[in-house]
Amino acid sequence: MTIIKVLYVDDEENNLSSFRANFRRLYEIYTANSGAEALDILSQTEVHIVISDQRMPNMTGVELFKKIKKLYPEPIRILLTGYTDIEALADAINTGDIYRYITKPWNEIELNNGIQNAYDVFRTRRELKEKLMELQKTNDELNRFIYSISHELRAPLASALGVINLAKLDNVFAESEKGYEYWNLIEDCCARLDYNITSTLQYYKNSRYSNVKEEVNFEKLVDDLVTMHKLANNVDDKIRFEVSIDQPEKFIGDIFRIEVIIGNLISNAIKYQKPEEEDKLIKIEVKVNRLDAIITITDNGLGILNDHLNKIFNQFFRMHNQKGTGLGLFIVREALAKLDGKISVESVLNSGTKFTIRIPNNVPDI
Amino acid sequence: MPSNTHIPNSLIIVDDSSVDLKINSRIASLTKLFKQILCFNSAEAALDFLVENLNNPEVCPVLILLDIQMPEMDGFEFLKRYERFPRSFKEKSAVIMLSSTDDLGDMTRVESDKNVVRLLKKPLQIGELKELLTRIYDL
C-alpha cells in the first residue's frame, strides 16, 4: 500500500511538533508554519491530505484552502478550528473548499479517523479519474478501430464487386450460359455482406454520434434512399414505389439517423415481399408539420405474425428463412430513441405491413 | 470545383491496392476518353511525378482519381500538398476522390475541399464515371 502523505499547516511550532510526534509512524508528514510555506511545499510535493489551522496571521486556513483548491484540486482538505470560527466556516464548507473540519484542540483518534476517511475519498476520486481516462482511451481506440475495420472489411469487398463489374463489361464467360448467373450470385453475396457490415457499423455509430440539427428535405432524402436501395437489392422495376411527400414546413433534424431509419425500413419492405405477388408495391408517405414528421412505409408483402410483432425490434430477431442480420429494426428503434421519436407497426400476415414513424421537428418556435 | 473545360491529357490513378488500380484503369480505358492512363500505388509516387511534370504538355492537364485510405500518405495529405501546386496547373486539372468509405467525417472533409470535384463510391461504375466526366468537361 502506498504511504499516505499529509501536509500539516499551523503557525504554532508546538502543534507542528506534537502532530509529528503522534503521526510520524503512520504517515509521511510535511509541515509548514504559514500558508505561503504550505503552497511552496505543494508546488514541489504531491501530498494526499492537507490539514490546516484556521487562525494564522497573513493567510487564514480557509483562504489557504481556496488557493490550494484552484492550484492543486486533488489533495483532500481538513480544517482545524475552534468553536468560535463556525460562522466563517459555513461558507467554506458550502462552497466545497473543505472536506471536513475538526475542532481544536484535536485528539489523536479523531484526527486519525479524519485522515483515514479523507484518504479514502482521495483514493476513490483518483481511481474514478483514472477509470475515466481509461474509458476515454478505450473509446478513442474503439473509434479508430471501427474506422479502420470498416475500411479493411469493405475495401476488399468493393474490389471484388469491381472485378465482377469488369468481368461483365468484358463479357468474360459470355459463351457459357451459366457464367452470367454465377457472376450475379457472387455479386449478390458480396452486396449482402457489404450491407451486413454497414448495418453493424451503423448500429455502433448510432450509439455514439451526438444529434446533429440540419435542414431535412424529405423529397430528396426519400428519393435518394429509394434509388440506393433499389440498386443495392437489384430491384429494377419489379417493385412499384409510390412516394408522396407533403412538406409545407421546414424540418430540422438529424439527417444521418433519419436516413438510417427510413433506409432500413425501405430495405425491409423490399426484402419481405411475396415472391409470387404480381404487383409488388411499397408506399412511402411523409407529412411534415411544425411539430413532427410523420412517415409511413406500407408494403403488400409477407406481413408479420401477430406473435412476432412485439419481438421484431429485438436485437438478432429474424423471421425464419429470411436473409438479414436481425439488426435492421433494432437499429431503427435505437436511432429513434436518440431522436425522441416513435414507431408503431400494423401487419396482416400475407397481405402486408405498415410502419408509422413520428420524428420531432426541431424547427425553432416563432 | 475548378472552372475548366480542359480535356485532360492524362488520367492519374492513385491507389495503394493493385487490384483496384487494375480495375479502375480498365474501367477508365473502357470510357475511351483518355489519351493515357498513369497508375501510382502511393500518394508520394504520384506527387513526385506531378511535381516533375507540372509544365509538361504531354502530361497536363490531368484528371486525378484519388483513393482516401492509403498507408503512409493518405488522400487528404495528398490534397494538402496538391494545394501548393501553381494555380495555373490546378485551374486546368481536377481531382475525383474514389473510396469505399461511408464515414461521415471523410465525406464532409471531401466535400469541403475546393480542389475535389466529387467523391465516387467504390466499386467505380462506368456509367457514373462517364456521366461525371460529361458534366465536368462539357462533352
Side-chain angles (χ1 to χ4, degrees):
Chain A
M1 200 180 124
T2 48
I3 188 148
I4 303 173
K5 297 183 186 180
V6 182
L7 169 63
Y8 183 86
V9 193
D10 201 317
D11 59 319
E12 285 172 55
E13 203 57 54
N14 284 342
N15 290 342
L16 292 179
S17 43
S18 81
F19 182 81
R20 240 180 218 294
N22 272 301
F23 294 109
R24 71 187 156 81
R25 264 177 243 95
L26 298 173
Y27 309 117
E28 188 174 317
I29 292 167
Y30 299 83
T31 53
N33 59 20
S34 70
E37 200 187 329
L39 290 170
D40 200 36
I41 291 174
L42 284 171
S43 73
Q44 296 163 35
T45 318
E46 193 187 76
V47 307
H48 303 132
I49 295 153
V50 185
I51 303 169
S52 173
D53 184 28
Q54 161 67 357
R55 289 203 179 172
M56 295 185 292
N58 299 327
M59 199 189 293
T60 66
V62 169
E63 283 166 354
L64 170 65
F65 281 176
K66 278 192 193 298
K67 281 203 174 128
I68 292 180
K69 190 183 167 195
K70 230 183 247 161
L71 295 169
Y72 315 101
E74 270 200 292
I76 307 295
R77 300 167 295 269
I78 298 176
L79 194 74
L80 296 174
T81 173
Y83 284 111
T84 46
D85 298 315
I86 296 295
E87 281 280 311
L89 262 180
D91 177 55
I93 292 176
N94 290 340
T95 51
D97 299 329
I98 327 178
Y99 162 67
R100 173 173 293 191
Y101 76 89
I102 289 171
T103 48
K104 274 178 102 171
W106 48 264
N107 75 59
E108 193 187 331
I109 295 170
E110 194 191 1
L111 189 52
N112 194 33
N113 277 342
I115 293 172
Q116 287 295 333
N117 291 345
Y119 184 67
D120 281 347
V121 172
F122 177 87
R123 213 185 42 211
T124 315
R125 280 188 195 162
R126 176 164 279 188
E127 276 168 11
L128 196 65
K129 212 167 140 188
E130 280 166 5
K131 286 272 177 285
L132 217 67
M133 273 161 64
E134 238 171 71
L135 202 63
Q136 183 69 44
K137 212 178 127 224
T138 322
N139 233 333
D140 290 348
E141 275 167 9
L142 196 59
N143 284 342
R144 276 198 299 276
F145 176 73
I146 290 285
Y147 178 84
S148 59
I149 204 78
S150 165
H151 174 249
E152 299 303 330
L153 293 176
R154 296 184 61 244
L157 262 182
S159 301
L161 285 166
V163 174
I164 296 163
N165 243 329
L166 260 191
K168 287 184 179 172
L169 282 173
D170 281 337
N171 261 327
V172 181
F173 291 135
E175 68 277 9
S176 151
E177 217 176 274
K178 290 276 177 204
Y180 206 75
E181 188 193 345
Y182 291 164
W183 284 116
N184 277 338
L185 287 175
I186 300 172
E187 190 174 24
D188 273 1
C189 294
C190 289
R192 210 186 311 159
L193 181 52
D194 190 54
Y195 174 79
N196 291 351
I197 294 170
T198 316
S199 56
T200 309
L201 295 172
Q202 253 179 17
Y203 166 68
Y204 169 74
K205 283 182 189 161
N206 174 57
S207 59
R208 54 161 266 98
Y209 275 129
S210 51
N211 278 8
V212 189
K213 305 245 188 292
E214 43 198 345
E215 199 174 334
V216 182
N217 176 352
F218 279 97
E219 183 103 45
K220 183 177 179 313
L221 185 102
V222 172
D223 223 52
D224 287 353
L225 284 171
V226 168
T227 317
M228 195 177 104
H229 285 278
K230 270 182 169 172
L231 261 174
N233 293 285
N234 291 320
V235 177
D236 309 327
D237 293 322
K238 283 172 280 174
I239 299 179
R240 201 150 57 82
F241 280 85
E242 267 182 33
V243 179
S244 93
I245 311 280
D246 177 15
Q247 183 174 14
E249 303 268 353
K250 199 163 145 175
F251 185 93
I252 304 287
D254 180 338
I255 289 193
F256 168 72
R257 289 201 171 88
I258 294 172
E259 264 180 20
V260 166
I261 293 164
I262 302 181
N264 269 300
L265 290 173
I266 292 176
S267 161
N268 275 356
I270 293 172
K271 261 191 234 152
Y272 301 121
Q273 286 289 333
K274 279 179 288 192
E276 71 282 1
E277 173 68 47
E278 297 266 303
D279 181 26
K280 299 189 175 100
L281 174 67
I282 296 174
K283 261 200 289 197
I284 303 169
E285 282 175 275
V286 181
K287 249 192 157 81
V288 179
N289 61 40
R290 290 200 54 78
L291 299 178
D292 297 293
I294 298 135
I295 304 152
T296 60
I297 295 172
T298 316
D299 65 62
N300 60 350
L302 292 164
I304 304 164
L305 263 178
N306 238 333
D307 287 353
H308 288 166
L309 270 183
N310 52 357
K311 291 187 207 146
I312 53 172
F313 294 106
N314 292 353
Q315 196 169 9
F316 303 125
F317 176 81
R318 296 192 293 175
M319 314 283 197
H320 60 99
N321 292 336
Q322 296 299 338
K323 45 189 177 184
T325 50
L327 272 175
L329 286 177
F330 176 67
I331 291 167
V332 166
R333 190 189 63 183
E334 296 291 300
L336 268 171
K338 296 266 180 195
L339 299 180
D340 223 2
K342 300 269 175 289
I343 186 164
S344 62
V345 54
E346 297 158 44
S347 185
V348 176
L349 195 61
N350 285 322
S351 75
T353 307
K354 175 181 178 186
F355 283 97
T356 307
I357 311 156
R358 185 178 285 268
I359 302 172
N361 190 349
N362 285 304
V363 80
D365 297 329
I366 305 165
Chain B
M1 172 177 157
S3 59
N4 68 71
T5 46
H6 294 258
I7 308 255
N9 248 329
S10 4
L11 174 72
I12 309 261
I13 308 182
V14 190
D15 202 314
D16 62 305
S17 153
S18 55
V19 178
D20 284 6
L21 279 179
K22 190 171 259 172
I23 298 168
N24 296 331
S25 59
R26 177 75 183 130
I27 298 245
S29 75
L30 286 172
T31 65
K32 299 192 172 69
L33 292 169
F34 302 100
K35 283 179 217 153
Q36 55 182 336
I37 298 171
L38 305 164
C39 293
F40 296 91
N41 61 11
S42 77
E44 291 91 332
L47 282 172
D48 290 349
F49 174 82
L50 285 172
V51 169
E52 292 292 319
N53 291 282
L54 284 175
N55 298 311
N56 184 349
E58 292 288 311
V59 173
C60 299
V62 299
L63 172 68
I64 301 171
L65 271 183
L66 178 63
D67 185 25
I68 295 182
Q69 282 132 324
M70 293 181 281
E72 309 290 323
M73 192 186 293
D74 68 13
F76 293 116
E77 288 168 82
F78 176 97
L79 285 172
K80 226 188 265 169
R81 287 175 167 73
Y82 178 89
E83 173 59 22
R84 296 181 52 201
F85 284 159
R87 191 183 306 162
S88 56
F89 169 84
K90 284 185 288 180
E91 270 170 355
K92 292 181 192 139
S93 302
V95 180
I96 296 172
M97 297 292 262
L98 188 58
S99 170
S100 60
T101 190
D102 62 350
D103 181 85
L104 276 181
D106 280 352
M107 291 186 202
T108 41
R109 241 176 118 185
V110 169
E111 268 169 36
S112 66
D113 194 297
K114 60 176 187 297
N115 291 314
V116 178
V117 182
R118 233 180 89 182
L119 169 67
L120 289 181
K121 295 276 270 181
K122 282 183 184 176
L124 180 61
Q125 304 290 341
I126 189 163
E128 220 176 342
L129 179 64
K130 268 188 181 161
E131 195 188 297
L132 181 58
L133 293 172
T134 315
R135 212 160 47 79
I136 304 175
Y137 298 113
D138 264 343
L139 296 173

